[in-house]
Amino acid sequence: MHRAKSYINSIDLSTIATFRALVEAIVPNTPGLAVYGAEQTAGAVDLHIHEYMIWELDHSLSLFLGTHLTIVPLAAPTAQLLNAGAVQLVSSGRALHAPNHAAWESNPYAALSPIDRIRVLAMLEQLDVDLGSLPPPYQYDGGKVRFMIDFLTRQTMFGNYSEWSAYGTTRLATPTERRLEYFPISWKQVGYPGVVPGYRALLGYKLTIVREGGESTIV
């Protein structure tokens, strides 16, 4: 099996569902914008940004283990963090909509309405939760919780508007193995023309130096 497919198949379905729900809430699809072009309807799930988030969390962040920084797979515990936040939102009576009870037992965060998923992010960022009920490495560590919520929101937007989705079938390969397979849809959405050859840096302005009697004057 291809390494990229093997990797995504190794992720448990609950983690995938949680990140699908996350990116869907942050960058939803917008069918009403089809009048401006079919590409304008695509949201983060359509661009597989949930897979990007899982990859980044499992390969790009480091924690101190003992005295050394070590890359630690954080996708699964971060999904558990979001699910724990969803449970606390609902149990506190602050959810604006009733969750989908058919999905609640296996995935509380995905069972929430999109607006309540955003409210979970705000609640966690404000540390308005019982830190003791959160999963490691977030348990009793408000700093890590705040960092991660900021990371999730920023990185979802970064992934959505980067070229990542256009790597197509190679998107989950290692960076050196990825190849662009088409022009990024999100670039079409915002009218970005793509990478162009760089311009020469400004090396200064042309000056005229007049030397008279041992003195120099710039004119």
Side-chain angles (χ1 to χ4, degrees), residues 135-160:
Y138 305 108
Q139 191 175 45
Y140 297 116
D141 195 329
K144 281 193 179 72
V145 173
R146 280 183 164 156
F147 168 83
M148 183 51 66
I149 299 306
D150 179 65
F151 178 87
L152 293 178
T153 52
R154 286 187 297 104
Q155 203 71 9
T156 295
M157 297 296 289
F158 178 85
N160 191 78

Short mmCIF file of all heavy atoms in Angstrom, two decimals, residues 135-160:
data_model
loop_
_atom_site.label_atom_id
_atom_site.label_comp_id
_atom_site.label_asym_id
_atom_site.label_seq_id
_atom_site.Cartn_x
_atom_site.Cartn_y
_atom_site.Cartn_z
N PRO A 135 -7.73 15.61 28.15
CA PRO A 135 -6.77 14.52 27.94
C PRO A 135 -5.34 15.05 27.97
O PRO A 135 -5.10 16.23 27.67
CB PRO A 135 -7.13 14.00 26.55
CG PRO A 135 -7.64 15.22 25.83
CD PRO A 135 -8.40 16.00 26.88
N PRO A 136 -4.36 14.20 28.31
CA PRO A 136 -2.95 14.58 28.17
C PRO A 136 -2.66 14.85 26.68
O PRO A 136 -3.26 14.21 25.82
CB PRO A 136 -2.19 13.35 28.67
CG PRO A 136 -3.20 12.60 29.50
CD PRO A 136 -4.53 12.85 28.87
N PRO A 137 -1.80 15.79 26.35
CA PRO A 137 -0.95 16.60 27.22
C PRO A 137 -1.60 17.91 27.65
O PRO A 137 -0.90 18.81 28.12
CB PRO A 137 0.26 16.87 26.32
CG PRO A 137 -0.35 17.01 24.96
CD PRO A 137 -1.46 16.00 24.92
N TYR A 138 -2.91 18.04 27.50
CA TYR A 138 -3.59 19.30 27.81
C TYR A 138 -4.12 19.38 29.24
O TYR A 138 -4.46 20.46 29.71
CB TYR A 138 -4.75 19.50 26.83
CG TYR A 138 -4.30 19.44 25.38
CD1 TYR A 138 -4.62 18.34 24.58
CD2 TYR A 138 -3.53 20.46 24.83
CE1 TYR A 138 -4.20 18.27 23.26
CE2 TYR A 138 -3.10 20.39 23.53
CZ TYR A 138 -3.44 19.30 22.74
OH TYR A 138 -3.00 19.23 21.44
N GLN A 139 -4.17 18.25 29.90
CA GLN A 139 -4.73 18.20 31.25
C GLN A 139 -3.94 19.12 32.19
O GLN A 139 -2.71 19.05 32.26
CB GLN A 139 -4.69 16.77 31.77
CG GLN A 139 -5.48 16.56 33.05
CD GLN A 139 -5.51 15.09 33.44
OE1 GLN A 139 -4.49 14.40 33.40
NE2 GLN A 139 -6.68 14.59 33.79
N TYR A 140 -4.65 20.02 32.86
CA TYR A 140 -4.06 20.98 33.81
C TYR A 140 -3.02 21.90 33.16
O TYR A 140 -2.16 22.44 33.84
CB TYR A 140 -3.42 20.24 34.99
CG TYR A 140 -4.41 19.47 35.82
CD1 TYR A 140 -4.31 18.07 35.90
CD2 TYR A 140 -5.44 20.10 36.52
CE1 TYR A 140 -5.23 17.34 36.66
CE2 TYR A 140 -6.35 19.38 37.27
CZ TYR A 140 -6.24 18.01 37.34
OH TYR A 140 -7.15 17.28 38.08
N ASP A 141 -3.06 22.07 31.85
CA ASP A 141 -2.07 22.91 31.17
C ASP A 141 -2.78 23.91 30.27
O ASP A 141 -2.95 23.69 29.06
CB ASP A 141 -1.10 22.05 30.36
CG ASP A 141 0.15 22.81 29.95
OD1 ASP A 141 0.06 24.04 29.75
OD2 ASP A 141 1.23 22.18 29.83
N GLY A 142 -3.19 25.01 30.85
CA GLY A 142 -3.91 26.03 30.10
C GLY A 142 -3.10 26.63 28.97
O GLY A 142 -3.65 27.02 27.94
N GLY A 143 -1.78 26.72 29.16
CA GLY A 143 -0.93 27.27 28.12
C GLY A 143 -0.98 26.45 26.84
O GLY A 143 -1.10 26.99 25.73
N LYS A 144 -0.91 25.12 27.00
CA LYS A 144 -0.98 24.24 25.82
C LYS A 144 -2.36 24.32 25.18
O LYS A 144 -2.49 24.27 23.94
CB LYS A 144 -0.68 22.79 26.21
CG LYS A 144 0.78 22.46 26.40
CD LYS A 144 0.99 20.96 26.47
CE LYS A 144 2.47 20.60 26.62
NZ LYS A 144 2.99 20.92 27.96
N VAL A 145 -3.40 24.42 25.99
CA VAL A 145 -4.75 24.50 25.44
C VAL A 145 -4.89 25.76 24.59
O VAL A 145 -5.37 25.71 23.44
CB VAL A 145 -5.81 24.50 26.56
CG1 VAL A 145 -7.21 24.75 25.99
CG2 VAL A 145 -5.79 23.17 27.31
N ARG A 146 -4.48 26.89 25.12
CA ARG A 146 -4.60 28.15 24.38
C ARG A 146 -3.76 28.12 23.10
O ARG A 146 -4.18 28.59 22.04
CB ARG A 146 -4.18 29.31 25.26
CG ARG A 146 -5.27 29.76 26.23
CD ARG A 146 -4.85 30.95 27.03
NE ARG A 146 -6.01 31.58 27.66
CZ ARG A 146 -5.95 32.33 28.74
NH1 ARG A 146 -4.77 32.53 29.32
NH2 ARG A 146 -7.03 32.89 29.24
N PHE A 147 -2.55 27.60 23.21
CA PHE A 147 -1.70 27.50 22.03
C PHE A 147 -2.38 26.67 20.96
O PHE A 147 -2.41 27.03 19.77
CB PHE A 147 -0.34 26.90 22.36
CG PHE A 147 0.45 26.51 21.14
CD1 PHE A 147 1.19 27.46 20.46
CD2 PHE A 147 0.41 25.20 20.66
CE1 PHE A 147 1.90 27.12 19.30
CE2 PHE A 147 1.11 24.86 19.50
CZ PHE A 147 1.86 25.81 18.82
N MET A 148 -2.94 25.54 21.35
CA MET A 148 -3.51 24.64 20.36
C MET A 148 -4.75 25.22 19.70
O MET A 148 -4.94 25.07 18.48
CB MET A 148 -3.84 23.28 21.01
CG MET A 148 -4.39 22.26 20.02
SD MET A 148 -3.36 22.06 18.52
CE MET A 148 -1.87 21.37 19.23
N ILE A 149 -5.61 25.90 20.45
CA ILE A 149 -6.79 26.48 19.83
C ILE A 149 -6.39 27.55 18.83
O ILE A 149 -6.95 27.64 17.72
CB ILE A 149 -7.74 27.06 20.90
CG1 ILE A 149 -8.21 25.95 21.85
CG2 ILE A 149 -8.93 27.73 20.24
CD1 ILE A 149 -8.83 24.75 21.16
N ASP A 150 -5.38 28.35 19.16
CA ASP A 150 -4.87 29.34 18.22
C ASP A 150 -4.30 28.65 16.98
O ASP A 150 -4.54 29.08 15.84
CB ASP A 150 -3.81 30.20 18.90
CG ASP A 150 -3.22 31.24 17.96
OD1 ASP A 150 -3.97 32.13 17.53
OD2 ASP A 150 -2.02 31.15 17.66
N PHE A 151 -3.56 27.58 17.20
CA PHE A 151 -2.98 26.82 16.09
C PHE A 151 -4.06 26.25 15.18
O PHE A 151 -3.96 26.34 13.95
CB PHE A 151 -2.10 25.69 16.64
CG PHE A 151 -1.49 24.82 15.57
CD1 PHE A 151 -0.29 25.17 14.98
CD2 PHE A 151 -2.13 23.65 15.16
CE1 PHE A 151 0.27 24.37 13.98
CE2 PHE A 151 -1.57 22.85 14.17
CZ PHE A 151 -0.37 23.20 13.58
N LEU A 152 -5.11 25.69 15.77
CA LEU A 152 -6.16 25.06 14.97
C LEU A 152 -6.85 26.06 14.05
O LEU A 152 -7.12 25.76 12.88
CB LEU A 152 -7.20 24.40 15.88
CG LEU A 152 -6.72 23.20 16.69
CD1 LEU A 152 -7.85 22.68 17.59
CD2 LEU A 152 -6.21 22.08 15.79
N THR A 153 -7.16 27.24 14.57
CA THR A 153 -7.86 28.22 13.75
C THR A 153 -6.94 28.80 12.67
O THR A 153 -7.34 28.90 11.50
CB THR A 153 -8.43 29.35 14.62
OG1 THR A 153 -7.39 29.89 15.45
CG2 THR A 153 -9.53 28.81 15.53
N ARG A 154 -5.73 29.16 13.05
CA ARG A 154 -4.81 29.74 12.06
C ARG A 154 -4.40 28.72 11.01
O ARG A 154 -4.34 29.02 9.82
CB ARG A 154 -3.56 30.30 12.75
CG ARG A 154 -3.80 31.59 13.50
CD ARG A 154 -2.50 32.19 14.02
NE ARG A 154 -1.83 31.34 14.99
CZ ARG A 154 -0.76 30.62 14.74
NH1 ARG A 154 -0.20 30.64 13.54
NH2 ARG A 154 -0.21 29.87 15.68
N GLN A 155 -4.10 27.49 11.44
CA GLN A 155 -3.58 26.50 10.52
C GLN A 155 -4.66 26.01 9.55
O GLN A 155 -4.36 25.65 8.42
CB GLN A 155 -2.98 25.32 11.31
CG GLN A 155 -1.96 24.51 10.54
CD GLN A 155 -0.66 25.29 10.33
OE1 GLN A 155 -0.44 26.36 10.90
NE2 GLN A 155 0.22 24.74 9.51
N THR A 156 -5.90 25.99 9.99
CA THR A 156 -6.98 25.63 9.07
C THR A 156 -7.05 26.64 7.93
O THR A 156 -7.15 26.26 6.75
CB THR A 156 -8.33 25.59 9.80
OG1 THR A 156 -8.31 24.53 10.77
CG2 THR A 156 -9.47 25.33 8.83
N MET A 157 -6.98 27.92 8.26
CA MET A 157 -7.01 28.96 7.23
C MET A 157 -5.76 28.88 6.35
O MET A 157 -5.85 29.00 5.12
CB MET A 157 -7.12 30.34 7.87
CG MET A 157 -8.38 30.55 8.66
SD MET A 157 -9.87 30.47 7.63
CE MET A 157 -9.70 31.99 6.70
N PHE A 158 -4.61 28.65 6.96
CA PHE A 158 -3.37 28.54 6.19
C PHE A 158 -3.45 27.38 5.22
O PHE A 158 -3.12 27.52 4.03
CB PHE A 158 -2.18 28.36 7.14
CG PHE A 158 -0.87 28.18 6.43
CD1 PHE A 158 -0.14 29.29 6.02
CD2 PHE A 158 -0.37 26.91 6.15
CE1 PHE A 158 1.08 29.12 5.35
CE2 PHE A 158 0.83 26.75 5.49
CZ PHE A 158 1.55 27.85 5.08
N GLY A 159 -3.89 26.23 5.69
CA GLY A 159 -3.99 25.07 4.82
C GLY A 159 -4.99 25.28 3.70
O GLY A 159 -4.76 24.88 2.55
N ASN A 160 -6.11 25.92 4.03
CA ASN A 160 -7.16 26.11 3.03
C ASN A 160 -6.70 26.99 1.88
O ASN A 160 -7.03 26.74 0.72
CB ASN A 160 -8.39 26.73 3.70
CG ASN A 160 -9.60 26.72 2.80
OD1 ASN A 160 -10.26 25.70 2.64
ND2 ASN A 160 -9.93 27.85 2.20
#
